[in-house]
């Protein structure tokens, strides 16, 4: 019996690895070209991989207000397995990592809790005396029936705004 289990494991393990490789390939092929190029570069691909933690696994909008389409992709850091967001600026081809081992506001360094996300297209956030005017679209991040936040570009980096504050 043990021999049979070991043999099955030996034969099934490569099939599972092939399925994972096919899944990764299909996810990458669904991305805009500029995103695929950045994700396949060695400094990024050695540390991060696309995650299908959420559907859709990427969003497109002008997040930094430069009139160029940017992309936000759900990624997983390969060593610590933490989930985060990689935002790629279409105009400059620069990228920013939020979560995936890097702290961001109340979201912490692992966005595995996130189960809803979408583009936030309103021009400002907050209803206090001094609302924040956005230069581009934001990203609405949510744990359903719990908490939500908006991630936005402030001209220098991405910031966290706890919705309801």
């Amino acid at each position: 019996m043990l021999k049979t289990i070991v043999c099955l494991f030996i034969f099934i393990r490569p099939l599972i690895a092939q399925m994972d490789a096919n899944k990764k390939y299909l996810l990458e092929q669904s991305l805009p070209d500029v995103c695929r190029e950045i994700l396949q570069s060695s400094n990024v691909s050695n540390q991060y991989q696309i995650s299908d933690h959420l559907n859709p696994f990427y969003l497109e909008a002008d997040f930094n207000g430069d009139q160029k389409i940017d992309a936000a992709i759900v990624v997983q850091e390969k060593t610590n397995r933490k989930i985060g967001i990689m935002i790629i600026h279409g105009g400059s081809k620069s990228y920013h990592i939020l979560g995936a081992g890097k702290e961001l506001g109340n979201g912490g360094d692992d966005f595995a809790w996130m189960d809803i996300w979408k583009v936030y297209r309103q021009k400002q956030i907050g209803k206090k005396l001094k609302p924040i005017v956005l230069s581009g679209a934001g990203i609405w991040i949510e744990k359903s029936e719990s908490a939500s936040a908006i991630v936005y570009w402030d001209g220098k980096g991405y910031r966290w705004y706890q919705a309801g504050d």
Side-chain angles (χ1 to χ4, degrees):
M1 178 72 165
L2 181 61
K3 203 175 200 180
T4 304
I5 292 171
V6 170
C7 287
L8 281 173
F9 181 75
I10 290 170
F11 289 111
I12 291 175
R13 190 169 182 198
L15 291 173
I16 292 170
Q18 182 62 42
M19 288 170 47
D20 287 344
N22 287 342
K23 184 178 184 180
K24 179 185 174 204
Y25 174 79
L26 292 173
L27 289 173
E28 284 180 355
Q29 294 306 307
S30 299
L31 291 171
D33 291 341
V34 66
C35 297
R36 195 167 46 254
E37 291 167 14
I38 290 170
L39 281 165
Q40 291 172 346
S41 68
S42 61
N43 60 332
V44 174
S45 67
N46 289 339
Q47 192 171 1
Y48 301 99
Q49 62 190 12
I50 299 171
S51 172
D52 63 353
H53 175 76
L54 286 176
N55 184 17
F57 70 96
Y58 82 97
L59 303 172
E60 285 185 304
D62 177 12
F63 297 117
N64 64 346
D66 68 356
Q67 308 303 309
K68 308 280 188 206
I69 295 296
D70 307 316
I73 305 164
V74 180
V75 295
Q76 184 175 46
E77 206 280 338
K78 289 182 175 181
T79 304
N80 62 29
R81 312 290 292 160
K82 292 181 178 182
I83 299 293
I85 300 170
M86 173 185 283
I87 300 176
I88 299 172
H89 290 169
S92 66
K93 297 183 182 177
S94 64
Y95 65 90
H96 302 263
I97 302 292
L98 318 174
K102 298 176 185 284
E103 292 281 335
L104 181 67
N106 292 345
D109 70 344
D110 185 2
F111 291 3
W113 54 266
M114 176 176 63
D115 58 7
I116 297 171
W117 78 326
K118 58 189 171 185
V119 175
Y120 181 84
R121 299 188 191 278
Q122 295 179 31
K123 298 299 178 194
Q124 70 179 34
I125 51 180
K127 297 181 179 169
K128 294 183 179 178
L129 295 175
K130 192 174 179 185
I132 300 167
V133 177
L134 303 180
S135 59
I139 301 173
W140 179 274
I141 297 174
E142 183 175 340
K143 171 64 179 162
S144 57
E145 300 183 25
S146 181
S148 57
I150 300 163
V151 172
Y152 67 96
W153 178 255
D154 74 354
K156 296 178 184 173
Y158 284 92
R159 302 289 171 249
W160 182 274
Y161 177 86
Q162 193 70 40
D165 286 354

